[in-house]
């Protein structure tokens, strides 16, 4: 997807995880419904690898920060799409309307960018994704 000369907008609507999370991470923009989650591994899988104990999933989830607003703060995603009270399944018409509004806004912005810049921006965005610290 790095080589595509058209805008790429990824939309996380539920649980974006595993290898699929890596794939949709290669977008010019990543949008996410506010109650969705997005991570390259489940909290239980992460806990099983780090602590050999899948029951420590809540501790891993705290470290992974897989929720929309946390990922927005980390610059992993570009915008959180508001959901109706009770979640998107309670009022899909409002969810579609909110999603369309945000999606169209980003698409209009991206259509103003040359194919070369789209590819370069997409590559740089992916390479600089997130905030990392190393503890010694």
């Amino acid at each position: 997807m790095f080589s595509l000369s058209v805008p790429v907008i990824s939309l996380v609507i539920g649980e974006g995880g595993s290898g699929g999370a890596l794939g949709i991470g290669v977008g010019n923009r990543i949008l996410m419904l506010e109650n969705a989650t997005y991570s390259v591994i489940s909290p239980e899988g992460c806990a099983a690898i780090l602590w050999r104990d899948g029951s420590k999933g809540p501790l891993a989830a705290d470290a992974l920060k897989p929720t929309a607003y946390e990922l927005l703060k980390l610059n992993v995603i570009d915008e959180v799409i508001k959901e109706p009270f009770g979640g998107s399944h309670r009022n899909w018409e409002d969810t579609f309307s909110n999603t369309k509004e945000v999606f169209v806004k980003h698409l209009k912005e991206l259509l103003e960018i040359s194919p070369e810049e789209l590819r370069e921006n997409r590559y740089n965005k992916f390479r600089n994704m997130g905030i990392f610290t190393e503890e010694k």
Side-chain angles (χ1 to χ4, degrees):
M1 287 182 23
F2 285 120
S3 65
L4 294 174
S5 58
V6 297
V8 176
I9 300 175
S10 299
L11 175 61
V12 182
I13 61 171
E15 293 183 26
S18 194
L22 290 173
I24 63 177
V26 183
N28 294 102
R29 303 287 164 82
I30 303 172
L31 312 175
M32 193 169 167
L33 291 179
E34 70 179 327
N35 293 311
T37 60
Y38 178 48
S39 177
V40 295
I41 190 169
S42 71
E44 296 77 17
C46 178
I49 292 169
L50 292 179
W51 300 292
R52 297 191 189 330
D53 184 356
S55 70
K56 292 186 178 180
L59 182 61
D62 188 50
L64 288 169
K65 308 218 180 298
T67 64
Y69 290 107
E70 291 170 327
L71 293 170
L72 184 64
K73 287 181 202 170
L74 292 169
N75 295 316
V76 172
I77 66 168
D78 298 290
E79 188 165 347
V80 175
I81 300 169
K82 287 282 191 189
E83 293 185 53
F85 179 76
S88 60
H89 63 289
R90 300 273 184 197
N91 185 336
W92 57 269
E93 290 172 330
D94 282 354
T95 300
F96 288 172
S97 177
N98 295 347
T99 301
K100 179 181 177 181
E101 181 181 328
V102 172
F103 189 90
V104 168
K105 175 185 80 169
H106 285 277
L107 182 59
K108 285 180 179 179
E109 291 172 4
L110 292 170
L111 287 173
E112 299 295 320
I113 301 172
S114 73
E116 296 79 22
E117 286 180 282
L118 285 171
R119 287 191 296 268
E120 185 178 329
N121 292 350
R122 195 165 38 242
Y123 177 79
N124 290 332
K125 176 183 176 64
F126 187 79
R127 297 287 295 166
N128 295 303
M129 191 176 283
I131 297 170
F132 305 95
T133 59
E134 186 175 326
E135 295 181 20
K136 295 188 179 202

